[in-house]
Amino acid sequence: MMAASRTPCDVLLFLLFSTILWMCAEFSRNLSVELNPGSSTPPPGGDLVHVRAVGDNDTLHFLFCSQGAPALLLVHTDVTSSDVSVNWPLFLSRNTSGSLRVEPANSIMSSTALVFSRLLEYDDVNDTAEAPFDLFPPYQLHDVTWSRMELSGAAARLCGAVAQGSICLHMWVFAGEGRDESWPRLLHTANSSQVAVRLDGLAARSQRSRFLLELQTLGGAYPLDAVRVRRSIDDEFTPSIFKVSEWTSGANESSEDGGAFILWKQVAYRRSPPALEDASPCRHSDPRRRSGRALAEVSGLVRAFFADEEERAFGLNVSFGLAGEPFYNATKFLSWTALVGVGLAPADAFSPLVAAIVAVGLGAPLVILLMGGVYACLRKRPTASTSSYEPIN
């Protein structure tokens, strides 16, 4: 039985629908997860989680490590065959760079590490939340005894005991585009991961204690030396929050293929699960140059991967709470979330709901004015006069 011949219209329709499907197809990556790659036993001093995210023609390597201060390393390669190798004896000695490699080395397009180095606490006696702070001795996170990594798919959880409470870090890697279920509901892509920091039950050293989290970055041809703040009138996904901070390279603002970014909404939450009434604004300091050599001393991951990156290290503090906000003792809980990825950071567009509200808000008055003008014109229009003349005899 012969197949019916296709007409030119059938071919055009087929091409049209194929193009639409191709344009609408969501970019995704194939994820694979490995705990302590190449090691047959749990290494002393902390774990290393490797998430390999393979795309159509590139690979992202996410490495989350608790050897020393917790750190997330993101390496972008331009091949699909790249992989990670670890020389564990050298890695555990923490005195040699190059014990962790991404091979082939010539395929690496960018490499950036984010290190959670210190937790700072201060006594906000006057309730101003402004510098200069009356700082207590900081909590050095490389001195914390961290738990073993808890894995769930492409997600890892890490906790450590601090001040009779705990500080926990949750890391997720995503295969495609989506949005987190809980606030701040960050938009993510297949080129990003998400990290949440939670301070739970810490014994504050004053009744008016507030906290700051010190973050440091290292590596990349374009170091993360600038923070840009984006503003929007659409707060549908994070009510009452209109600002997004993006830590990136000031010299590489529009790169789609090499630059890294760290993005967060300027909000933390005082309870779990987060709710609108427990939202607390947060701020950040300007990035400042730091010592890459000193950073390698506190992070086993930085020491293992990077050589001398002295000129590429920058750091900033994220502070939680503003003047008049409840102090940490009010709930003894804080959570903050950030997105870490490569390329252009995802940005929220106006949702259909907001677009409809704006259209109604602006369009309805114009329609009313237009109809009112037409009605007024019609009312003022002179009517045709009808005169009757009597015949003249």
Short mmCIF file of all heavy atoms in Angstrom, two decimals, residues 13-74:
data_model
loop_
_atom_site.label_atom_id
_atom_site.label_comp_id
_atom_site.label_asym_id
_atom_site.label_seq_id
_atom_site.Cartn_x
_atom_site.Cartn_y
_atom_site.Cartn_z
N LEU A 13 3.62 23.09 6.59
CA LEU A 13 3.04 22.93 7.93
C LEU A 13 3.96 22.12 8.83
O LEU A 13 4.16 22.43 10.01
CB LEU A 13 1.67 22.28 7.85
CG LEU A 13 0.54 23.16 7.30
CD1 LEU A 13 -0.73 22.34 7.12
CD2 LEU A 13 0.28 24.34 8.24
N PHE A 14 4.54 21.05 8.25
CA PHE A 14 5.45 20.21 9.03
C PHE A 14 6.67 21.01 9.49
O PHE A 14 7.09 20.94 10.65
CB PHE A 14 5.89 19.01 8.18
CG PHE A 14 6.94 18.17 8.83
CD1 PHE A 14 6.61 17.28 9.84
CD2 PHE A 14 8.28 18.28 8.45
CE1 PHE A 14 7.59 16.51 10.45
CE2 PHE A 14 9.25 17.52 9.05
CZ PHE A 14 8.91 16.63 10.05
N LEU A 15 7.25 21.80 8.58
CA LEU A 15 8.41 22.62 8.94
C LEU A 15 8.05 23.67 9.98
O LEU A 15 8.82 23.96 10.89
CB LEU A 15 8.98 23.29 7.68
CG LEU A 15 9.64 22.36 6.67
CD1 LEU A 15 10.04 23.14 5.42
CD2 LEU A 15 10.85 21.66 7.27
N LEU A 16 6.84 24.26 9.84
CA LEU A 16 6.41 25.28 10.78
C LEU A 16 6.28 24.71 12.19
O LEU A 16 6.80 25.26 13.16
CB LEU A 16 5.08 25.88 10.32
CG LEU A 16 4.44 26.92 11.26
CD1 LEU A 16 5.37 28.12 11.42
CD2 LEU A 16 3.08 27.36 10.73
N PHE A 17 5.59 23.56 12.30
CA PHE A 17 5.40 22.96 13.63
C PHE A 17 6.72 22.45 14.19
O PHE A 17 6.95 22.54 15.40
CB PHE A 17 4.39 21.81 13.55
CG PHE A 17 2.96 22.28 13.48
CD1 PHE A 17 2.20 22.07 12.35
CD2 PHE A 17 2.38 22.94 14.55
CE1 PHE A 17 0.89 22.51 12.28
CE2 PHE A 17 1.07 23.38 14.50
CZ PHE A 17 0.32 23.16 13.36
N SER A 18 7.60 21.94 13.36
CA SER A 18 8.92 21.49 13.84
C SER A 18 9.71 22.66 14.39
O SER A 18 10.38 22.55 15.42
CB SER A 18 9.69 20.82 12.70
OG SER A 18 9.01 19.69 12.23
N THR A 19 9.64 23.80 13.70
CA THR A 19 10.36 24.99 14.18
C THR A 19 9.81 25.47 15.50
O THR A 19 10.55 25.84 16.41
CB THR A 19 10.26 26.12 13.13
OG1 THR A 19 10.78 25.64 11.88
CG2 THR A 19 11.04 27.34 13.58
N ILE A 20 8.47 25.47 15.63
CA ILE A 20 7.85 25.91 16.89
C ILE A 20 8.26 24.99 18.03
O ILE A 20 8.61 25.44 19.13
CB ILE A 20 6.31 25.95 16.74
CG1 ILE A 20 5.92 27.07 15.76
CG2 ILE A 20 5.65 26.18 18.10
CD1 ILE A 20 4.44 27.10 15.44
N LEU A 21 8.24 23.67 17.79
CA LEU A 21 8.62 22.72 18.83
C LEU A 21 10.08 22.89 19.22
O LEU A 21 10.45 22.82 20.39
CB LEU A 21 8.36 21.29 18.36
CG LEU A 21 6.89 20.87 18.23
CD1 LEU A 21 6.78 19.49 17.63
CD2 LEU A 21 6.21 20.90 19.60
N TRP A 22 10.93 23.14 18.23
CA TRP A 22 12.35 23.33 18.51
C TRP A 22 12.59 24.59 19.34
O TRP A 22 13.38 24.60 20.27
CB TRP A 22 13.12 23.41 17.20
CG TRP A 22 14.59 23.70 17.40
CD1 TRP A 22 15.58 22.82 17.74
CD2 TRP A 22 15.23 24.99 17.28
NE1 TRP A 22 16.78 23.46 17.83
CE2 TRP A 22 16.60 24.80 17.56
CE3 TRP A 22 14.79 26.27 16.95
CZ2 TRP A 22 17.51 25.83 17.52
CZ3 TRP A 22 15.70 27.31 16.93
CH2 TRP A 22 17.04 27.08 17.21
N MET A 23 11.84 25.67 19.02
CA MET A 23 12.00 26.92 19.75
C MET A 23 11.47 26.80 21.18
O MET A 23 11.99 27.43 22.10
CB MET A 23 11.28 28.06 19.02
CG MET A 23 11.90 28.43 17.68
SD MET A 23 10.97 29.70 16.81
CE MET A 23 11.15 31.08 17.92
N CYS A 24 10.44 25.97 21.36
CA CYS A 24 9.83 25.84 22.68
C CYS A 24 10.52 24.79 23.54
O CYS A 24 10.22 24.67 24.73
CB CYS A 24 8.34 25.50 22.56
SG CYS A 24 7.36 26.82 21.79
N ALA A 25 11.40 23.98 22.94
CA ALA A 25 12.05 22.92 23.69
C ALA A 25 12.94 23.53 24.78
O ALA A 25 13.70 24.46 24.54
CB ALA A 25 12.89 22.05 22.76
N GLU A 26 12.85 22.99 25.98
CA GLU A 26 13.61 23.50 27.12
C GLU A 26 14.99 22.88 27.14
O GLU A 26 15.14 21.66 27.03
CB GLU A 26 12.86 23.19 28.41
CG GLU A 26 13.57 23.66 29.66
CD GLU A 26 12.81 23.26 30.91
OE1 GLU A 26 11.58 23.35 30.89
OE2 GLU A 26 13.47 22.84 31.88
N PHE A 27 16.01 23.71 27.28
CA PHE A 27 17.37 23.21 27.37
C PHE A 27 17.55 22.49 28.70
O PHE A 27 17.15 22.99 29.75
CB PHE A 27 18.36 24.36 27.25
CG PHE A 27 19.78 23.95 27.50
CD1 PHE A 27 20.44 23.13 26.60
CD2 PHE A 27 20.44 24.35 28.65
CE1 PHE A 27 21.76 22.74 26.84
CE2 PHE A 27 21.74 23.98 28.89
CZ PHE A 27 22.40 23.16 27.98
N SER A 28 18.16 21.33 28.66
CA SER A 28 18.38 20.56 29.88
C SER A 28 19.74 19.88 29.84
O SER A 28 20.38 19.80 28.78
CB SER A 28 17.27 19.51 30.07
OG SER A 28 17.30 18.58 29.00
N ARG A 29 20.17 19.41 30.99
CA ARG A 29 21.44 18.71 31.12
C ARG A 29 21.23 17.35 31.77
O ARG A 29 20.27 17.17 32.55
CB ARG A 29 22.43 19.53 31.96
CG ARG A 29 22.87 20.83 31.31
CD ARG A 29 23.88 21.56 32.18
NE ARG A 29 24.33 22.81 31.55
CZ ARG A 29 25.34 22.89 30.71
NH1 ARG A 29 26.02 21.79 30.39
NH2 ARG A 29 25.69 24.05 30.18
N ASN A 30 22.10 16.41 31.46
CA ASN A 30 22.10 15.11 32.11
C ASN A 30 22.99 15.17 33.33
O ASN A 30 24.18 15.50 33.24
CB ASN A 30 22.59 14.02 31.14
CG ASN A 30 21.65 13.82 29.98
OD1 ASN A 30 20.43 13.84 30.14
ND2 ASN A 30 22.19 13.62 28.79
N LEU A 31 22.43 14.84 34.50
CA LEU A 31 23.15 14.96 35.75
C LEU A 31 23.60 13.59 36.26
O LEU A 31 22.86 12.61 36.17
CB LEU A 31 22.27 15.62 36.82
CG LEU A 31 21.68 16.99 36.50
CD1 LEU A 31 20.90 17.51 37.71
CD2 LEU A 31 22.75 17.98 36.10
N SER A 32 24.81 13.55 36.79
CA SER A 32 25.31 12.38 37.50
C SER A 32 26.00 12.85 38.77
O SER A 32 26.65 13.90 38.78
CB SER A 32 26.27 11.56 36.64
OG SER A 32 27.39 12.34 36.24
N VAL A 33 25.83 12.09 39.85
CA VAL A 33 26.32 12.51 41.17
C VAL A 33 27.28 11.45 41.71
O VAL A 33 27.02 10.24 41.61
CB VAL A 33 25.15 12.70 42.15
CG1 VAL A 33 25.64 13.23 43.49
CG2 VAL A 33 24.11 13.65 41.56
N GLU A 34 28.37 11.91 42.30
CA GLU A 34 29.34 11.01 42.89
C GLU A 34 29.85 11.61 44.19
O GLU A 34 30.19 12.80 44.25
CB GLU A 34 30.51 10.77 41.93
CG GLU A 34 31.46 9.68 42.36
CD GLU A 34 32.54 9.40 41.34
OE1 GLU A 34 32.63 10.17 40.35
OE2 GLU A 34 33.30 8.43 41.51
N LEU A 35 29.90 10.79 45.24
CA LEU A 35 30.41 11.22 46.53
C LEU A 35 31.85 10.75 46.68
O LEU A 35 32.14 9.56 46.52
CB LEU A 35 29.54 10.65 47.66
CG LEU A 35 29.96 11.00 49.09
CD1 LEU A 35 29.90 12.50 49.34
CD2 LEU A 35 29.09 10.25 50.10
N ASN A 36 32.74 11.69 46.97
CA ASN A 36 34.16 11.40 47.13
C ASN A 36 34.71 10.60 45.94
O ASN A 36 35.11 9.44 46.08
CB ASN A 36 34.41 10.64 48.43
CG ASN A 36 33.95 11.42 49.65
OD1 ASN A 36 34.18 12.62 49.76
ND2 ASN A 36 33.27 10.74 50.57
N PRO A 37 34.71 11.19 44.74
CA PRO A 37 35.12 10.46 43.54
C PRO A 37 36.53 9.89 43.64
O PRO A 37 37.47 10.59 44.01
CB PRO A 37 35.04 11.54 42.44
CG PRO A 37 35.07 12.84 43.15
CD PRO A 37 34.42 12.61 44.46
N GLY A 38 36.63 8.60 43.35
CA GLY A 38 37.92 7.93 43.36
C GLY A 38 38.35 7.41 44.71
O GLY A 38 39.41 6.79 44.83
N SER A 39 37.55 7.63 45.76
CA SER A 39 37.90 7.16 47.10
C SER A 39 36.98 6.01 47.49
O SER A 39 35.75 6.11 47.35
CB SER A 39 37.77 8.29 48.12
OG SER A 39 38.04 7.83 49.43
N SER A 40 37.56 4.94 47.98
CA SER A 40 36.77 3.76 48.35
C SER A 40 36.20 3.87 49.76
O SER A 40 35.27 3.15 50.11
CB SER A 40 37.63 2.50 48.24
OG SER A 40 38.79 2.62 49.06
N THR A 41 36.75 4.75 50.58
CA THR A 41 36.27 4.94 51.95
C THR A 41 36.05 6.43 52.20
O THR A 41 36.68 7.28 51.56
CB THR A 41 37.30 4.41 52.97
OG1 THR A 41 38.54 5.09 52.78
CG2 THR A 41 37.49 2.91 52.79
N PRO A 42 35.17 6.78 53.14
CA PRO A 42 34.97 8.20 53.46
C PRO A 42 36.26 8.83 53.95
O PRO A 42 36.87 8.35 54.91
CB PRO A 42 33.91 8.17 54.57
CG PRO A 42 33.22 6.85 54.41
CD PRO A 42 34.26 5.91 53.91
N PRO A 43 36.72 9.89 53.32
CA PRO A 43 37.99 10.51 53.73
C PRO A 43 37.84 11.25 55.04
O PRO A 43 36.77 11.79 55.35
CB PRO A 43 38.29 11.47 52.58
CG PRO A 43 36.96 11.79 52.00
CD PRO A 43 36.13 10.56 52.16
N PRO A 44 38.88 11.29 55.85
CA PRO A 44 38.82 12.06 57.10
C PRO A 44 38.78 13.56 56.80
O PRO A 44 39.36 14.03 55.83
CB PRO A 44 40.12 11.67 57.82
CG PRO A 44 41.05 11.27 56.71
CD PRO A 44 40.19 10.65 55.65
N GLY A 45 38.08 14.28 57.64
CA GLY A 45 38.09 15.73 57.54
C GLY A 45 36.99 16.33 56.71
O GLY A 45 36.85 17.56 56.68
N GLY A 46 36.18 15.53 56.05
CA GLY A 46 35.09 16.08 55.26
C GLY A 46 34.90 15.38 53.93
O GLY A 46 35.74 14.57 53.51
N ASP A 47 33.78 15.69 53.27
CA ASP A 47 33.40 15.02 52.02
C ASP A 47 33.53 15.96 50.83
O ASP A 47 33.61 17.19 50.97
CB ASP A 47 31.95 14.52 52.11
CG ASP A 47 31.80 13.34 53.05
OD1 ASP A 47 32.66 12.44 53.00
OD2 ASP A 47 30.84 13.33 53.84
N LEU A 48 33.50 15.34 49.65
CA LEU A 48 33.52 16.05 48.38
C LEU A 48 32.44 15.46 47.48
O LEU A 48 32.47 14.27 47.17
CB LEU A 48 34.88 15.93 47.70
CG LEU A 48 35.02 16.47 46.29
CD1 LEU A 48 34.85 18.00 46.28
CD2 LEU A 48 36.36 16.08 45.67
N VAL A 49 31.46 16.28 47.10
CA VAL A 49 30.39 15.85 46.20
C VAL A 49 30.65 16.43 44.82
O VAL A 49 30.92 17.63 44.69
CB VAL A 49 29.01 16.30 46.72
CG1 VAL A 49 27.93 15.97 45.70
CG2 VAL A 49 28.69 15.63 48.03
N HIS A 50 30.58 15.58 43.81
CA HIS A 50 30.78 16.02 42.43
C HIS A 50 29.50 15.76 41.64
O HIS A 50 29.04 14.63 41.55
CB HIS A 50 31.94 15.25 41.78
CG HIS A 50 32.11 15.52 40.33
ND1 HIS A 50 32.48 14.55 39.41
CD2 HIS A 50 31.93 16.67 39.60
CE1 HIS A 50 32.55 15.09 38.20
NE2 HIS A 50 32.21 16.36 38.29
N VAL A 51 28.91 16.84 41.11
CA VAL A 51 27.75 16.72 40.22
C VAL A 51 28.22 17.11 38.82
O VAL A 51 28.67 18.25 38.61
CB VAL A 51 26.58 17.62 40.67
CG1 VAL A 51 25.40 17.45 39.72
CG2 VAL A 51 26.17 17.29 42.10
N ARG A 52 28.10 16.18 37.90
CA ARG A 52 28.52 16.40 36.51
C ARG A 52 27.27 16.66 35.68
O ARG A 52 26.37 15.82 35.62
CB ARG A 52 29.28 15.18 36.00
CG ARG A 52 29.92 15.32 34.63
CD ARG A 52 30.87 14.15 34.40
NE ARG A 52 31.49 14.20 33.08
CZ ARG A 52 31.04 13.54 32.02
NH1 ARG A 52 29.98 12.74 32.14
NH2 ARG A 52 31.65 13.65 30.86
N ALA A 53 27.20 17.84 35.05
CA ALA A 53 26.02 18.26 34.28
C ALA A 53 26.42 18.40 32.82
O ALA A 53 27.09 19.38 32.44
CB ALA A 53 25.47 19.57 34.83
N VAL A 54 26.01 17.44 32.00
CA VAL A 54 26.43 17.39 30.61
C VAL A 54 25.35 18.00 29.72
O VAL A 54 24.18 17.61 29.79
CB VAL A 54 26.72 15.94 30.17
CG1 VAL A 54 27.20 15.89 28.72
CG2 VAL A 54 27.76 15.31 31.09
N GLY A 55 25.76 18.96 28.89
CA GLY A 55 24.86 19.57 27.92
C GLY A 55 25.08 19.03 26.53
O GLY A 55 25.66 17.95 26.34
N ASP A 56 24.62 19.77 25.52
CA ASP A 56 24.76 19.33 24.13
C ASP A 56 26.21 19.33 23.67
O ASP A 56 26.64 18.44 22.94
CB ASP A 56 23.92 20.23 23.22
CG ASP A 56 22.43 20.12 23.52
OD1 ASP A 56 22.02 19.05 24.01
OD2 ASP A 56 21.71 21.10 23.28
N ASN A 57 26.98 20.32 24.10
CA ASN A 57 28.37 20.41 23.66
C ASN A 57 29.29 20.96 24.74
O ASN A 57 30.37 21.46 24.45
CB ASN A 57 28.49 21.27 22.39
CG ASN A 57 27.81 22.62 22.56
OD1 ASN A 57 27.58 23.07 23.68
ND2 ASN A 57 27.49 23.25 21.45
N ASP A 58 28.87 20.90 26.01
CA ASP A 58 29.70 21.37 27.11
C ASP A 58 29.36 20.61 28.37
O ASP A 58 28.41 19.80 28.40
CB ASP A 58 29.54 22.88 27.32
CG ASP A 58 28.14 23.23 27.80
OD1 ASP A 58 27.22 22.40 27.62
OD2 ASP A 58 27.95 24.33 28.36
N THR A 59 30.11 20.86 29.43
CA THR A 59 29.89 20.20 30.72
C THR A 59 30.13 21.19 31.84
O THR A 59 31.08 21.97 31.81
CB THR A 59 30.82 18.99 30.90
OG1 THR A 59 30.67 18.09 29.80
CG2 THR A 59 30.50 18.24 32.20
N LEU A 60 29.26 21.15 32.84
CA LEU A 60 29.46 21.90 34.08
C LEU A 60 29.79 20.91 35.19
O LEU A 60 29.14 19.87 35.33
CB LEU A 60 28.20 22.68 34.45
CG LEU A 60 27.77 23.82 33.53
CD1 LEU A 60 26.46 24.42 34.01
CD2 LEU A 60 28.84 24.89 33.47
N HIS A 61 30.83 21.25 35.97
CA HIS A 61 31.21 20.43 37.12
C HIS A 61 30.96 21.24 38.38
O HIS A 61 31.55 22.31 38.58
CB HIS A 61 32.68 20.03 37.02
CG HIS A 61 33.01 19.19 35.83
ND1 HIS A 61 32.86 17.81 35.82
CD2 HIS A 61 33.46 19.52 34.60
CE1 HIS A 61 33.22 17.34 34.63
NE2 HIS A 61 33.58 18.37 33.87
N PHE A 62 30.07 20.74 39.24
CA PHE A 62 29.78 21.36 40.52
C PHE A 62 30.43 20.50 41.61
O PHE A 62 30.11 19.32 41.74
CB PHE A 62 28.27 21.46 40.78
CG PHE A 62 27.52 22.29 39.79
CD1 PHE A 62 27.04 21.74 38.61
CD2 PHE A 62 27.27 23.64 40.03
CE1 PHE A 62 26.32 22.51 37.70
CE2 PHE A 62 26.56 24.41 39.13
CZ PHE A 62 26.09 23.84 37.96
N LEU A 63 31.34 21.08 42.38
CA LEU A 63 32.03 20.37 43.45
C LEU A 63 31.78 21.08 44.77
O LEU A 63 32.14 22.25 44.93
CB LEU A 63 33.53 20.29 43.15
CG LEU A 63 33.86 19.45 41.91
CD1 LEU A 63 34.64 20.28 40.90
CD2 LEU A 63 34.63 18.19 42.28
N PHE A 64 31.14 20.36 45.69
CA PHE A 64 30.76 20.92 46.99
C PHE A 64 31.56 20.18 48.04
O PHE A 64 31.51 18.94 48.14
CB PHE A 64 29.26 20.72 47.20
CG PHE A 64 28.69 21.39 48.42
CD1 PHE A 64 29.07 22.68 48.77
CD2 PHE A 64 27.76 20.75 49.21
CE1 PHE A 64 28.54 23.31 49.88
CE2 PHE A 64 27.21 21.37 50.32
CZ PHE A 64 27.61 22.65 50.65
N CYS A 65 32.34 20.92 48.85
CA CYS A 65 33.34 20.29 49.70
C CYS A 65 33.28 20.83 51.12
O CYS A 65 33.08 22.03 51.33
CB CYS A 65 34.73 20.52 49.11
SG CYS A 65 36.08 19.73 50.00
N SER A 66 33.51 19.94 52.10
CA SER A 66 33.53 20.34 53.51
C SER A 66 34.90 20.10 54.14
O SER A 66 35.02 20.00 55.36
CB SER A 66 32.46 19.56 54.30
OG SER A 66 32.66 18.16 54.19
N GLN A 67 35.94 20.01 53.31
CA GLN A 67 37.31 19.96 53.83
C GLN A 67 37.74 21.39 54.15
O GLN A 67 38.14 22.15 53.29
CB GLN A 67 38.24 19.34 52.79
CG GLN A 67 38.01 17.87 52.52
CD GLN A 67 38.80 16.99 53.48
OE1 GLN A 67 39.74 17.44 54.14
NE2 GLN A 67 38.43 15.73 53.56
N GLY A 68 37.62 21.76 55.41
CA GLY A 68 37.85 23.14 55.81
C GLY A 68 36.56 23.93 55.71
O GLY A 68 35.47 23.42 55.98
N ALA A 69 36.67 25.20 55.34
CA ALA A 69 35.47 26.02 55.16
C ALA A 69 34.66 25.48 53.99
O ALA A 69 35.22 25.13 52.95
CB ALA A 69 35.86 27.47 54.90
N PRO A 70 33.33 25.39 54.12
CA PRO A 70 32.52 24.87 53.02
C PRO A 70 32.72 25.70 51.76
O PRO A 70 32.77 26.93 51.80
CB PRO A 70 31.08 25.00 53.54
CG PRO A 70 31.21 25.03 55.02
CD PRO A 70 32.51 25.73 55.29
N ALA A 71 32.84 25.01 50.63
CA ALA A 71 33.11 25.71 49.37
C ALA A 71 32.39 25.01 48.23
O ALA A 71 32.21 23.78 48.24
CB ALA A 71 34.62 25.75 49.10
N LEU A 72 31.99 25.81 47.25
CA LEU A 72 31.38 25.30 46.02
C LEU A 72 32.24 25.77 44.86
O LEU A 72 32.46 26.97 44.67
CB LEU A 72 29.95 25.83 45.87
CG LEU A 72 29.23 25.51 44.56
CD1 LEU A 72 29.05 24.01 44.38
CD2 LEU A 72 27.87 26.21 44.50
N LEU A 73 32.74 24.81 44.09
CA LEU A 73 33.56 25.10 42.92
C LEU A 73 32.76 24.77 41.67
O LEU A 73 32.20 23.68 41.55
CB LEU A 73 34.85 24.28 42.95
CG LEU A 73 35.73 24.31 41.70
CD1 LEU A 73 36.27 25.71 41.44
CD2 LEU A 73 36.88 23.31 41.83
N LEU A 74 32.70 25.71 40.73
CA LEU A 74 31.99 25.52 39.47
C LEU A 74 32.99 25.66 38.33
O LEU A 74 33.61 26.70 38.16
CB LEU A 74 30.88 26.57 39.35
CG LEU A 74 30.09 26.62 38.03
CD1 LEU A 74 29.53 25.25 37.66
CD2 LEU A 74 28.96 27.63 38.13
#
